[in-house]
């Protein structure tokens, strides 16, 4: 363990909707072993956790924020022709808890990934409004309305890079930990149109991620095949799984 503590560690938190609660458990385990994170990045749900941690929130505080947040507010319908729902409430949650911050104000260097839905380009967000970037990175296409930011039309970064390793490039780190939340298989039948859209999105993410993990020194990948990406009652169990899997992996190092 002493060698890991001496490393300058970058942590890349992947997307996965409610499965993102795993990231909180990962942070609990790393802090328990006094492993300091020198840079952090997030895609989609990972962007939410990364933003809070980069601005000094403890894993316990992040857990309290996400469990208190009324996620059903996200289900408000929108009149937009571009999506079924709006996820602006996620941006409001960020502002309520860390303020209207910009990336250059973070305690730990922070980056996020979004996708330009016009060109298909990967966009690394590391300047300007943190809340706006989180809204863009969490914008699952077909479900949420795309976000206009910096002259671009942005959606969830999971399309192009679900484990946001490239957002750590150029940071002062020498060891990269990635967290992969997308199960290789799931047996749960979709129960509504949102789950149909989300599953379709995830199949695309799985195809793309296979070539993306080579830049990580280790990938934390708990078995999440028994969970689904929308049930908020799973949060405590997901945090525990993230904690236990991270402890298991770092013990082996």
């Amino acid at each position: 363990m002493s060698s890991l503590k001496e490393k300058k560690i970058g942590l890349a938190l992947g997307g996965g909707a409610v499965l993102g609660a795993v990231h909180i458990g990962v942070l609990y385990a790393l802090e328990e072993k006094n492993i300091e994170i020198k840079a952090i990045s997030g895609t989609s749900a990972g962007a939410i956790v990364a933003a809070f941690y980069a601005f000094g929130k403890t894993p316990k505080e992040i857990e309290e924020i996400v469990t208190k947040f009324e996620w059903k507010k996200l289900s408000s319908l929108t009149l937009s022709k571009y999506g079924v729902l709006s996820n602006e409430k996620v941006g409001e949650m960020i502002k309520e808890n860390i303020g209207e911050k910009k990336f250059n104000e973070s305690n730990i260097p922070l980056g996020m990934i979004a996708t330009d839905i016009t060109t298909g380009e990967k966009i690394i967000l590391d300047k300007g409004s943190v809340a706006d970037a989180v809204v863009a990175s969490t914008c699952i296409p077909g479900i949420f309305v795309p976000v206009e930011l910096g002259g671009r039309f942005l959606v969830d970064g999971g399309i192009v890079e679900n484990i946001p390793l490239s957002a750590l490039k150029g940071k002062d780190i020498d060891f990269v930990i990635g967290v992969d939340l997308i199960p290789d298989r799931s047996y749960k039948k979709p129960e509504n149109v949102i789950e149909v859209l989300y599953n379709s999105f995830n199949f695309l993410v799985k195809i793309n991620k296979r070539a993306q993990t080579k830049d990580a020194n280790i990938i934390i990948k708990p078995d999440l095949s028994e969970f689904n990406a929308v049930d908020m009652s799973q949060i405590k169990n997901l945090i525990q799984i993230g904690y236990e899997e991270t402890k298991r992996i770092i013990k082996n190092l």
Side-chain angles (χ1 to χ4, degrees):
M1 277 308 305
S2 60
S3 61
L4 192 57
K5 287 179 188 172
E6 289 162 8
K7 298 284 188 187
K8 295 177 182 176
I9 293 174
L11 182 63
L13 304 179
V18 170
L19 302 177
V22 164
H23 297 319
I24 302 170
V26 172
L27 292 171
Y28 271 123
L30 294 174
E31 286 205 348
E32 185 177 270
K33 293 295 185 183
N34 298 312
I35 295 170
E36 187 178 352
I37 304 303
K38 295 291 188 182
I40 193 166
S41 63
T43 296
S44 201
I48 296 172
V49 177
F52 285 139
Y53 197 69
F55 280 89
K57 295 294 183 188
T58 65
K60 181 68 177 169
E61 287 171 328
I62 300 170
E63 179 179 352
E64 288 170 358
I65 291 166
V66 299
T67 49
K68 282 179 188 171
F69 182 70
E70 293 183 53
W71 291 93
K72 62 180 178 287
K73 288 179 181 174
L74 284 178
S75 62
S76 56
L77 290 172
T78 174
L79 297 176
S80 173
K81 62 185 177 182
Y82 292 116
V84 182
L85 309 173
S86 167
N87 68 337
E88 288 177 359
K89 297 287 185 188
V90 171
E92 290 174 20
M93 174 179 66
I94 300 293
K95 290 175 185 175
E96 283 168 13
N97 288 283
I98 66 170
E100 298 201 20
K101 299 290 189 182
K102 297 199 177 333
F103 278 88
N104 61 5
E105 299 175 81
S106 63
N107 301 1
I108 303 169
L110 170 66
M112 298 173 198
I113 300 286
T115 305
D116 184 323
I117 200 61
T118 303
T119 66
E121 290 174 83
K122 173 172 66 183
I123 306 299
I124 296 176
L125 301 171
D126 57 6
K127 296 179 178 65
S129 164
V130 172
D132 289 351
V134 172
V135 173
S137 186
T138 57
C139 186
I140 300 167
I143 299 177
F144 296 122
V145 180
V147 176
E148 287 195 60
L149 201 60
R152 292 181 179 270
F153 214 33
L154 301 181
V155 297
D156 196 302
I159 297 174
V160 286
E161 189 175 14
N162 202 51
I163 305 169
L165 301 171
S166 66
L168 294 172
K169 284 184 178 165
K171 305 288 192 285
D172 184 22
I173 55 173
D174 56 21
F175 193 92
V176 175
I177 300 173
V179 186
D180 182 2
L181 303 181
I182 305 300
D184 288 327
R185 56 185 180 176
S186 176
Y187 302 104
K188 186 174 178 293
K189 180 182 174 184
E191 295 180 0
N192 53 54
V193 66
I194 300 299
E195 289 189 19
V196 169
L197 286 167
Y198 185 75
N199 282 6
S200 303
F201 171 71
N202 262 5
F203 297 143
L204 175 64
V205 169
K206 281 183 205 175
I207 293 165
N208 283 344
K209 79 171 183 178
R210 288 171 193 153
Q212 293 170 356
T213 54
K214 63 184 185 301
D215 291 332
N217 296 95
I218 57 172
I219 294 286
I220 296 169
K221 183 178 170 54
D223 180 5
L224 302 176
S225 57
E226 297 304 310
F227 295 86
N228 69 69
V230 295
D231 184 357
M232 296 301 296
S233 69
Q234 305 170 117
I235 282 182
K236 289 281 187 191
N237 288 338
L238 288 164
I239 291 171
Q240 186 64 25
I241 282 174
Y243 170 75
E244 289 171 0
E245 181 66 7
T246 304
K247 277 214 320 184
R248 184 186 73 78
I249 285 179
I250 62 179
K251 181 179 72 175
N252 294 339
L253 294 173

